[in-house]
Amino acid sequence: MDRKVALFGGTFDPPTIAHQIIAQIAYAETDVDEVWFMPCYGHQLNKTPIAKPWDRWQMCQNLSDAMGSNFSVCDFELKTKSEGRLYETLKALEKESKENYELDFKFYPII
């Protein structure tokens, strides 16, 4: 069985009400099963985030906890120290999900 996940990547420095609204709309207006916030480790345009990577992850976790069980946070780009290159991240996530989970994940980026 496939699990459809809307993947919402960004710096989230900090996550804002706009991020929350975008995630809620993505969930409500599509047929995804859940929305994952995915803070990047570094910024691909070489901007320096104010908050540290795992602090931004925690802020996203606090937001997703308040939003309900269909919202969560993915730490993939933090663990791999990625700069948020979407195509490479999607391919790597698809590969990891096939190797480590019984479900097949289908990822849909929120852009």
Side-chain angles (χ1 to χ4, degrees), residues 19-21 23-24 35 37 62-71:
H19 294 122
Q20 179 180 358
I21 291 168
Q24 289 171 322
V35 175
F37 293 93
N62 294 343
L63 176 61
S64 71
D65 286 348
M67 293 175 68
S69 63
N70 297 91
F71 300 88

Side-chain angles (χ1 to χ4, degrees), residues 16-29:
T16 66
I17 189 73
H19 294 122
Q20 179 180 358
I21 291 168
I22 291 167
Q24 289 171 322
I25 291 171
Y27 180 73
E29 299 295 326

Side-chain angles (χ1 to χ4, degrees), residues 18-106:
H19 294 122
Q20 179 180 358
I21 291 168
I22 291 167
Q24 289 171 322
I25 291 171
Y27 180 73
E29 299 295 326
T30 65
D31 65 344
V32 298
D33 299 303
E34 53 192 297
V35 175
W36 292 359
F37 293 93
M38 187 171 59
C40 61
Y41 182 80
H43 196 285
Q44 62 181 323
L45 299 177
N46 294 324
K47 294 180 181 177
T48 303
I50 296 169
K52 294 177 182 170
W54 288 100
D55 292 340
R56 293 184 285 112
W57 180 91
Q58 186 61 57
M59 288 187 281
C60 288
Q61 185 66 50
N62 294 343
L63 176 61
S64 71
D65 286 348
M67 293 175 68
S69 63
N70 297 91
F71 300 88
S72 59
V73 184
C74 176
D75 62 4
F76 182 81
E77 288 194 345
L78 297 184
K79 285 182 179 178
T80 60
K81 297 186 178 182
S82 172
E83 293 181 349
R85 304 215 190 290
L86 181 60
Y87 180 78
E88 290 86 359
T89 296
L90 288 173
K91 289 298 175 191
L93 274 172
E94 287 172 0
K95 181 181 179 199
E96 180 181 283
S97 70
K98 287 179 184 175
E99 293 173 354
N100 297 315
Y101 301 99
E102 293 179 15
L103 293 174
D104 282 331
F105 286 88
K106 300 288 185 191

